[in-house]
Every structure is written in structure tokens, then in C-alpha cells.
Amino acid sequence: MDTIPSARSIDPPLAPETLAVHPWATAAGRPRGHRTLNAPLFLTTQWEGGDLPELADHFARNPDRGFYTRFGHPTVRLAEERIAALEGAGDALLFSSGMGAISTSLLAVLRAGDHVVAHQAIFAQTIQFLEHLSASAGVRVNFVDATDPRQVEAAIRPDTRLLYLETPSNPGIDILDIESLTRLAHAHGALVFVDTTFAGPMIQRSLSLGADLAIQSASKSLAGHADVLAGAVAGGAALVGDIRKMRVLTGPSLDPHAAWLLLRGMQTLPLRVRAQSETADAVARQLEASPAVSHLRYPFLPSHPGYEVARRQMALGGGMVSFAFRGGLEATRRFVNALRWIPLASSLGSVYTTLEVPEELDFALEEIGDRAASFAMPAGLVRLSIGVESRDDIERDIQRGLDAVESIIPAPHALAERGG
């Protein structure tokens, strides 16, 4: 006779909101037995083997269970497994910084003579590292406007090894069509890496759209409390395995205590991301209504050039907004000086609302050199990262800044009357 399937056999996969909370959750269900509810933290860099064969086995096959922390660590491994689950990936790796994740991943797949096509407006220091590889390691790089797939297709060559994307991009919030660009790159045998720091797995699962590797600065939304420096990659097991070998050689392993803090931070990731997105959407519309704002980018605003793509590949708009004023950098300085409590800070994605003026920091002209024209950033661009404070308080402080700028900048119709 027919048997009734057990509840476990017909249960759907665990939701990301559940996976973010439970360090032991897997597709097979929780392990049974006496264990800690929170992830354990092992404050040691090395482990003793019971005998020589056992230690050799840990070295060769199970370094994450305990051999030497540069090779792997059980607390770090729990965080990696959680990121892999959130991304829907075969495996994931953690690094001591976002740039550690980016540089190690690039070193793992690129060789002299390889060609890279990259979006022209990615993170400034990623550009610098690609240009370093071009100058010192014989890797050829073309930067193109990847919002136009035709430019990507025209740049791909028979020796193209990698298409490198960042969406939403830092700081301009360009939106790139991951699915169509990945299809194009794969048709020519190229890998696709996507830096998804501004989105992350609760908003955008790049692997499900076809990308080979999702990269992010885990210091940002994943950790979420401005107390962890970390980077993460997620992808297929074979590719991540190659990157793991390079991580052992170059050494940017994550500190176990940072991994433990990251695990704790990820438990509130779904709640934080949802709250940040809701407030960011409201603030973006507040900015859009100001006559002083000349440039505004938020993925879920219909005025964004990539709005249709963003609605298709992102579950939420995220917590990042960029904007600029008529009046340029001087108007931006007036805006910043009028704020009562929103701090100037160089990072993003945490519980704190912060803002940065990129042209004076990461994207200073001397930093990006010949690539400056590619960004086409308006003078005084503000990168605003929304936190989890009261929406009313955030909007009031933003309005203080807007009032200060609007007081010295005439309305657009007045400029038109004067020929401005």
C-alpha cells in the first residue's frame, strides 16, 4: 500500500530568514544531540593530533575541523557554511577584508595573457588592483560601461577569462543586468564575478542569476554592526576550492573572533535589511522632491535608469542612496555641516546611518587617475548608507541639510528665467 511521506520529506527548503539565525541549519535538518545553541568560539590557532596519521588527515582532508587557522577553523567554517546557505552556493570562503576576498579570487583564476572585461565604475581599489595585474602580471583589462551589454560584447575576445561586475555599484549605484551579461560571458567561455556588497543575499542572489562567484565585503550588511572587518565569496565548490588554495598561500584568513561576531550579526540580517530598505526608499523620495537635488540614484525609484532590471533581480531596494546638488561640492559641504547627528564615516551597511563624499576619499581623482572620466560622478556626490534608527529622525536630519542647501540655491524655474 502507498505510504504517507513524512513531513521532513515534503518540507520546502528553509527560508533565508531561518538560515540566517541558526548556525547548525542544513538541508538535512539540525544535528541531534547535546550542543551549544550559539556557535562556539575556539580561541586557538592550532590543534593537537592524537597520532601522526590523525594530524596528517586533518592537514590533508579536514583543516576546517582543526589543524592550523590559516588553513581553516571550525568557527570560521560555520560562518562560511551559513553564507553558502544564504547564497544558495556550493561553498563559501571568508577573508580578513573585502579586498582580501577580491584580490585572492582574482589571483586564483587569472594568469599572464588572460583578458578581463570589467564594468568601468566599480569600487576604486578593485580598479587599482586590476590595473596592478595589468602592469605587473600580464593580465589585460578592458573597462567598459556594462550597463550597455553591447559594449561588453564588443570587448570580449577569445582570450577573455573573466567578466567582472559590481551591482549595485559603489558609489554611483549603477544597476547591471546579471542574467543577460552572464549569458553573454558564458557563451564565450568566460567566468562572471559579481561584487554584491551593496545588496547581499537577502536582496540579490547573483548565483541564481547565473554568476559564477558572488563577492562581498562582509564588514558591511552581513556583519552589520561596524565591528568586523571581513570579506566573503560564494560559488560552486570547484571554483571556491581553487580560491581556497590561493587563500592558504596568500594568507588573508579571517580571525575566528571576527567570524563569531559575523555569525552573531547575520542573525539579524533579514530584519536589518528590510528596515534599511524601507527607510532608504522613503529618504530617496524625500530627496527626489527637493529642488536642490540635481542627481539621485536609488534602485527602486522609477527615475533610476536601471529601475526595470533592479525590480527584476533585487528583492528590495537596499539601504544605499547616492545624490548630488546643484551647486556641487560647496553645496554638499553646506548640507553636511547642517546635519545634527548623521555622522561622516567611510564604511556602510551597518546599523548606523552614515554618509561619505567619495570624491574626497576612495574616489579622489588622484586615486582613480585616468579612470575618473569613466565614473562621470557629479561634483560633490553623497553616498548615504541608511541604518536602523527611527525613520522620522533620519528624515528630519536629512531635511535640515536640504533646508540649508535650498536656502542658497534658487528653484529650477528661477534659474531658467535667468538663463541658468
Side-chain angles (χ1 to χ4, degrees):
M1 61 181 292
D2 293 337
T3 58
I4 298 174
S6 69
R8 183 176 298 279
S9 69
I10 60 176
D11 277 352
L14 293 174
E17 290 82 357
T18 304
L19 292 171
V21 173
H22 292 279
W24 307 104
T26 68
R30 66 177 177 87
R32 303 290 174 169
H34 186 262
R35 59 183 172 82
T36 62
L37 188 58
N38 279 325
L41 172 57
F42 299 98
L43 290 177
T44 183
T45 59
Q46 58 186 351
W47 281 259
E48 177 185 10
D51 53 32
L52 287 174
E54 182 186 28
L55 188 61
D57 181 71
H58 282 307
F59 170 69
R61 282 176 286 278
N62 297 299
D64 288 315
R65 290 180 56 195
F67 169 70
Y68 182 63
T69 295
R70 179 163 56 86
F71 290 78
H73 186 282
T75 306
V76 176
R77 189 57 188 159
L78 278 174
E80 291 171 340
E81 289 172 347
R82 192 177 307 183
I83 291 169
L86 289 172
E87 291 281 7
D91 203 354
L93 286 177
L94 284 164
F95 300 80
S96 55
S97 69
M99 279 308 301
I102 291 167
S103 59
T104 305
S105 299
L106 292 172
L107 289 171
V109 302
L110 296 176
R111 303 291 182 270
D114 283 344
H115 177 242
V116 177
V117 178
H119 181 48
Q120 64 187 12
I122 57 179
F123 182 51
Q125 286 156 21
T126 305
I127 290 175
Q128 291 174 33
F129 189 76
L130 285 168
E131 291 182 332
H132 170 75
L133 292 178
S134 178
S136 65
V139 174
R140 288 162 288 187
V141 184
N142 280 116
F143 294 95
V144 301
D145 181 1
T147 63
D148 180 1
R150 294 169 298 181
Q151 291 194 33
V152 175
E153 186 168 23
I156 290 177
R157 308 187 318 213
D159 58 352
T160 301
R161 171 67 170 154
L162 176 67
L163 173 61
Y164 191 97
L165 308 174
E166 183 179 301
T167 183
S169 68
N170 181 4
I173 312 187
D174 292 342
I175 300 295
L176 310 180
D177 190 333
I178 298 170
E179 190 168 20
S180 66
L181 292 171
T182 295
R183 193 182 308 118
L184 174 61
H186 285 175
H188 292 83
L191 295 168
V192 178
F193 289 4
V194 180
D195 184 331
T196 185
T197 297
F198 271 26
M202 300 305 304
I203 295 176
Q204 174 181 285
R205 298 181 80 184
S206 301
L207 303 179
S208 70
L209 297 168
D212 298 289
L213 196 72
I215 306 172
Q216 59 191 304
S217 171
S219 316
K220 312 303 193 291
S221 291
L222 280 182
H225 292 78
D227 56 4
V228 173
L229 188 65
V233 303
L239 176 58
V240 172
D242 290 340
I243 299 170
R244 180 191 298 273
K245 293 174 186 175
M246 184 59 66
R247 187 186 67 177
V248 170
L249 294 177
T250 55
S253 303
L254 184 63
D255 173 72
H257 186 246
W260 187 86
L261 289 172
L262 177 59
L263 280 161
R264 188 180 66 174
M266 283 191 285
Q267 291 177 321
T268 59
L269 176 65
L271 304 176
R272 290 185 283 105
V273 167
R274 189 176 300 113
Q276 289 163 332
S277 296
E278 290 172 356
T279 300
D281 189 273
V283 168
R285 295 175 192 279
Q286 176 188 14
L287 291 163
E288 192 172 44
S290 171
V293 174
S294 61
H295 172 93
L296 176 63
R297 290 289 183 267
Y298 183 70
F300 274 19
L301 279 183
S303 59
H304 193 296
Y307 172 75
E308 295 297 334
V309 174
R311 295 297 307 213
R312 189 168 68 247
Q313 71 185 21
M314 298 171 66
L316 299 164
M320 302 301 301
V321 183
S322 70
F323 59 96
F325 298 104
R326 290 183 297 106
L329 184 57
E330 287 307 311
T332 295
R333 288 172 175 157
R334 187 176 181 88
F335 172 83
V336 171
N337 289 339
L339 299 177
R340 176 183 172 190
W341 63 267
I342 295 176
L344 281 166
S346 61
S347 195
L348 56 102
S350 79
V351 294
Y352 305 105
T353 294
T354 61
L355 61 84
E356 177 186 295
V357 181
E359 79 180 69
E360 295 195 324
L361 296 170
D362 292 319
F363 288 82
L365 295 181
E366 62 269 22
E367 290 293 324
I368 56 178
D370 295 339
R371 302 251 53 83
S374 300
F375 285 89
M377 284 194 308
L381 183 79
V382 176
R383 188 188 74 183
L384 177 65
S385 175
I386 297 295
V388 299
E389 306 95 339
S390 158
R391 181 189 304 183
D392 289 343
D393 287 340
I394 294 171
E395 290 179 333
R396 272 194 290 269
D397 215 24
I398 294 294
Q399 194 59 50
R400 287 188 188 95
L402 291 175
D403 289 345
V405 178
E406 290 169 8
S407 69
I408 63 165
I409 295 180
H413 62 80
L415 283 176
E417 290 170 2
R418 288 185 281 170

